Amino acid sequence: MTRSEKVRAQRKHKRILQHFCESSSIHGLKHVYEDGSLMFERVVWILVFLSGVCFSSYFCWQVWQKWEQSPILTSVETQLYPLKNVPFPAVTICNVNKVSESKLYEAILANPKFKNVSYTKLQSTLRFMTKLDRAFDEYNDEENQEKLLEMSQLYQARNISASDLFEILKKAAPACSDMMMDCKWLESPEPCMEYFSFLPTDDGMCCTFNGAKYLDSMLGIEPSSNETREPLRVNGNGYRMGLTLVIDAKLRDFSVINGKFDGFKVLVHSPEEFPDVADRGFVLGLGTETFVGVKVTTSFYTEEVAKEVSPKKRQCLMEGEKNLKYFEYYSRSACHIECDTLLMQERCQCRPYFFKGDNETSFCEMQAYKCIAKVFEEIRLNDDDVCDCLPPCSDTWYEPEISYASFPGRGFNRTSTYKRIERKRKIGPGVDMTEYLKSNVAMLHVYYKEKTGMRYRTDIRFGAADFIASIGGLLGLGLGMSFISVIEILYYVFFRRLFLWQRVKLSRLTMRVTRILSRNSRQERKRNPSSLEVTENNNVWPSAATLSSSIATISSPSFDKQIPLTRRHSLNLPPHLQKRLNKY
């Protein structure tokens, strides 16, 4: 490009900018190129315009950050949410005594495969099965590995599988009927025990009240008729409107103990959740009467949140956004358990008995317990990095408030509960059970503390319409801009030169047609001087002067010379000539 061409191009850009400033609806720009204005005035108006740009840009950025980082708002919808709309919590109780000594002997004698397996060896095996932490003892790592390898070789030699070991654990663990001396639901002893399930957890075999159905065909666990029912509900508060249990630890009949205390571990959780008692359970000590007043809280998200906000921003999952492979309903705990299971299947080629899985994956033999214990510990330490488990958007959680007193009180032997225990355990008259109850038994009440629950609602804080309105208001306040102003900017930046070029092209074509018409008119007058009027449609042929005066003159995009342009339909021409001109 030559220097003259560069100069002409600069002139073009300058004149386009000037025309934009003079005709733009953005405030202040017309004063920058105002004719006759001083340089000082122009500088001032430029600074004012830039101040408006900075003001609008800063606050628009703040609005963008607010919309990007916190698009949702959670508020209390009601503090009077009816309890009947919420399932009563599931209550999982795990005895610290994982294996009954008498039951373990019976299980060994009943199974011929264990005829030549010593009681001590099997007891040590069950210790590893009921507490994975023992396999991940870094101070006794080599010793534990040797024990696990020795056990695995022993059982392989006798054709004893992991399923056989689980059957021994299931038969030797204290059953729900063995632990529950008395059970009352809504002050009625019947059919309280029918709502219990005896299921594997991360803390061994435990009893769950009001739990969801559990299915594992490889373990031979099928849901009973009571487990397929809907979760229990209540419509009142207080311990009379809940669950009351008298639980016997049977300290004399112990074989494998998990813990440094005597008693139970209890977890109050949602019926659909996996009972991860080892991590979240609280302790229920012997010789105590414990009251667990539960506060229930529910949350839900509106449809607008599901449609407009991604799971990453709202930090939760709507129903159907993520389906679990081994669980019917999604919950965060179930997602974690499934993540653990899949990772163990990948690294250890097996799964522990207390994690759900498919029938294609075998249960872990004893030598693999070291591997699954390491995976379990790794997930505990790096949970968010390993498992992508967001909480459900519509969720229910239960917050227990625990209080306790010594048990039994002086009047306990006169209560109906004690009378039922006497009949059930066949306790003769005059037998004092006080010492046994103090050292072996705990009483537990689980109930709603308040008459109503809390319900939270999560809605769009800053939707797309609110965002556009806020941005538009700020741009209008700082610069006087509107949607049309944006179109103007795009027009002048991208399309103005193209349209000017088209105008010049049309102008040149019009001038050519005008010259042809003028020449034809002169030739016609020379041939027929008397024909000065045209009667067709009562229109008059224009003279050359009329044609010239009807042409609108504008500047061409080259801005080097003035090129006369004409607008369509601006000439007073006969219809047949106007029609010919309009074709161009």
Side-chain angles (χ1 to χ4, degrees):
M1 181 182 292
T2 63
R3 183 176 179 181
S4 60
E5 291 176 342
K6 290 182 179 179
V7 172
R8 283 197 298 270
Q10 291 175 357
R11 288 177 181 174
K12 292 178 188 177
H13 297 318
K14 183 177 180 180
R15 293 190 180 184
I16 289 176
L17 178 61
Q18 180 178 358
H19 190 264
F20 169 73
C21 293
E22 291 174 349
S23 60
S24 175
S25 60
I26 300 176
H27 293 179
L29 287 182
K30 64 180 180 180
H31 299 292
V32 176
Y33 277 98
E34 187 177 5
D35 292 338
S37 61
L38 301 176
M39 180 59 68
F40 175 75
E41 292 182 79
R42 297 186 179 187
V43 171
V44 169
W45 279 109
I46 290 174
L47 293 177
V48 170
F49 174 74
L50 293 178
S51 300
V53 171
C54 294
F55 171 85
S56 300
S57 299
Y58 173 76
F59 285 103
C60 286
W61 172 254
Q62 294 296 319
V63 171
W64 167 261
Q65 290 290 97
K66 182 179 179 181
W67 185 64
E68 181 71 17
Q69 296 177 3
S70 55
I72 58 176
L73 176 66
T74 301
S75 59
V76 177
E77 185 185 54
T78 179
Q79 297 182 0
L80 304 175
Y81 192 66
L83 295 177
K84 64 181 180 180
N85 295 340
V86 184
F88 191 80
V91 182
T92 298
I93 303 165
C94 298
N95 198 333
V96 174
N97 179 22
K98 300 302 174 187
V99 176
S100 164
E101 183 180 28
S102 58
K103 284 193 166 188
L104 181 57
Y105 276 117
E106 292 176 3
I108 293 174
L109 294 175
N111 194 330
K113 290 185 177 181
F114 293 91
K115 183 177 181 180
N116 296 323
V117 179
S118 67
Y119 175 88
T120 305
K121 184 66 67 177
L122 193 54
Q123 186 184 43
S124 179
T125 301
L126 297 179
R127 282 197 180 96
F128 283 107
M129 291 179 64
T130 55
K131 192 176 174 84
L132 283 180
D133 294 351
R134 290 191 175 97
F136 191 73
D137 188 352
E138 57 184 9
Y139 298 104
N140 301 309
D141 185 62
E142 294 183 3
E143 181 181 351
N144 288 337
Q145 190 65 24
E146 291 177 1
K147 285 183 179 179
L148 292 170
L149 182 59
E150 180 183 348
M151 292 175 187
S152 182
Q153 292 174 348
L154 173 66
Y155 295 133
Q156 286 179 1
R158 287 165 174 75
N159 197 26
I160 297 174
S161 65
S163 299
D164 295 328
L165 292 173
F166 171 75
E167 285 299 320
I168 291 292
L169 173 62
K170 184 179 178 181
K171 292 178 180 178
C176 299
S177 57
D178 297 332
M179 290 193 296
M180 306 303 165
M181 297 180 72
D182 189 61
C183 176
K184 286 194 303 181
W185 168 245
L186 303 180
E187 284 296 287
S188 175
E190 299 294 340
C192 182
M193 288 301 299
E194 295 180 8
Y195 301 133
F196 274 95
S197 303
F198 191 51
L199 302 174
T201 72
D202 59 346
D203 202 43
M205 298 299 297
C206 300
C207 297
T208 298
F209 176 84
N210 196 35
K213 66 179 181 180
Y214 191 97
L215 172 64
D216 195 327
S217 57
M218 289 187 67
L219 293 178
I221 299 177
E222 300 288 342
S224 63
S225 58
N226 290 320
E227 292 178 19
T228 57
R229 54 164 173 75
E230 291 294 319
L232 299 172
R233 298 171 187 264
V234 299
N235 195 22
N237 65 320
Y239 74 92
R240 291 183 179 86
M241 295 294 291
L243 175 67
T244 298
L245 300 173
V246 180
I247 317 171
D248 190 356
K250 294 187 176 181
L251 294 184
R252 294 180 182 177
D253 187 22
F254 74 92
S255 178
V256 176
I257 296 177
N258 278 359
K260 302 176 178 65
F261 62 93
D262 294 327
F264 308 91
K265 291 192 74 173
V266 181
L267 178 64
V268 178
H269 59 97
S270 173
E272 302 296 340
E273 282 187 327
F274 176 82
D276 45 346
V277 184
D279 291 332
R280 297 195 294 147
F282 63 87
V283 173
L284 178 64
L286 301 179
T288 62
E289 183 173 4
T290 302
F291 294 81
V292 182
V294 178
K295 290 184 177 181
V296 61
T297 305
T298 64
S299 65
F300 77 100
Y301 282 58
T302 61
E303 293 183 3
E304 289 77 11
V305 174
K307 294 177 181 177
E308 299 182 20
V309 184
S310 65
K312 185 177 180 181
K313 287 184 179 180
R314 60 176 130 94
Q315 286 296 296
C316 68
L317 294 174
M318 302 296 293
E319 185 177 356
E321 286 186 334
K322 184 174 183 178
N323 296 319
L324 300 180
K325 187 177 180 181
Y326 306 133
F327 292 86
E328 183 177 359
Y329 299 102
Y330 179 87
S331 67
R332 194 171 192 180
S333 63
C335 178
H336 283 299
I337 295 302
E338 184 162 297
C339 175
D340 295 353
T341 305
L342 294 175
L343 197 59
M344 290 175 184
Q345 290 175 356
E346 178 185 344
R347 296 187 183 179
C348 309
Q349 285 74 50
C350 63
R351 67 176 176 96
Y353 67 91
F354 51 84
F355 283 172
K356 283 187 176 181
D358 52 42
N359 295 334
E360 298 177 358
T361 306
S362 61
F363 291 116
C364 292
E365 304 295 340
M366 295 309 300
Q367 64 183 8
Y369 268 69
K370 176 67 175 179
C371 175
I372 63 173
K374 283 185 176 181
V375 173
F376 199 60
E377 192 67 20
E378 178 185 342
I379 294 175
R380 279 183 176 180
L381 297 176
N382 307 292
D383 191 9
D384 294 334
D385 298 332
V386 177
C387 299
D388 182 19
C389 292
L390 294 174
C393 294
S394 298
D395 200 5
T396 301
W397 60 94
Y398 305 89
E399 181 182 355
E401 291 188 5
I402 303 170
S403 59
Y404 63 92
S406 59
F407 174 82
R410 285 176 290 180
F412 178 70
N413 58 355
R414 293 190 294 271
T415 63
S416 58
T417 300
Y418 184 77
K419 301 299 183 184
R420 284 192 300 273
I421 293 174
E422 277 187 328
R423 291 193 298 270
K424 186 177 180 179
R425 296 296 176 98
K426 299 179 181 179
I427 300 173
V431 178
D432 188 7
M433 292 285 293
T434 303
E435 291 303 319
Y436 182 84
L437 293 174
K438 285 183 177 180
S439 58
N440 289 268
V441 179
M443 195 168 185
L444 175 66
H445 305 275
V446 181
Y447 54 93
Y448 285 132
K449 186 175 182 179
E450 306 292 345
K451 291 182 180 294
T452 56
M454 185 86 73
R455 184 167 175 83
Y456 288 96
R457 171 192 178 97
T458 301
D459 208 341
I460 294 290
R461 167 188 277 182
F462 221 58
D466 299 321
F467 174 75
I468 294 173
S470 299
I471 294 295
L474 290 169
L475 292 176
L477 178 64
L479 297 170
M481 287 185 65
S482 65
F483 177 76
I484 302 300
S485 303
V486 177
I487 300 299
E488 285 180 352
I489 294 174
L490 295 176
Y491 168 71
Y492 274 91
V493 171
F494 297 105
F495 303 108
R496 177 68 174 176
R497 296 186 63 185
L498 174 62
F499 287 138
L500 287 176
W501 179 77
Q502 290 290 343
R503 289 184 190 180
V504 171
K505 184 178 179 181
L506 180 60
S507 174
R508 289 173 178 172
L509 179 61
T510 304
M511 290 298 298
R512 188 181 308 161
V513 173
T514 303
R515 286 194 296 268
I516 293 173
L517 293 176
S518 298
R519 186 171 61 250
N520 291 341
S521 177
R522 288 193 297 268
Q523 292 175 357
E524 182 68 24
R525 285 198 297 270
K526 287 179 181 180
R527 288 194 300 267
N528 189 8
S530 61
S531 179
L532 297 176
E533 294 182 358
V534 179
T535 59
E536 182 179 354
N537 293 332
N538 295 324
N539 288 326
V540 179
W541 281 88
S543 64
T546 302
L547 289 171
S548 301
S549 62
S550 301
I551 297 173
T553 303
I554 65 170
S555 300
S556 71
S558 66
F559 299 101
D560 296 330
K561 58 182 179 179
Q562 299 293 325
I563 296 180
L565 302 180
T566 187
R567 189 182 307 161
R568 293 184 181 182
H569 306 292
S570 64
L571 295 177
N572 188 20
L573 299 178
H576 67 285
L577 294 179
Q578 184 75 49
K579 185 176 180 181
R580 290 177 57 187
L581 179 60
N582 285 342
K583 292 194 300 182
Y584 300 97

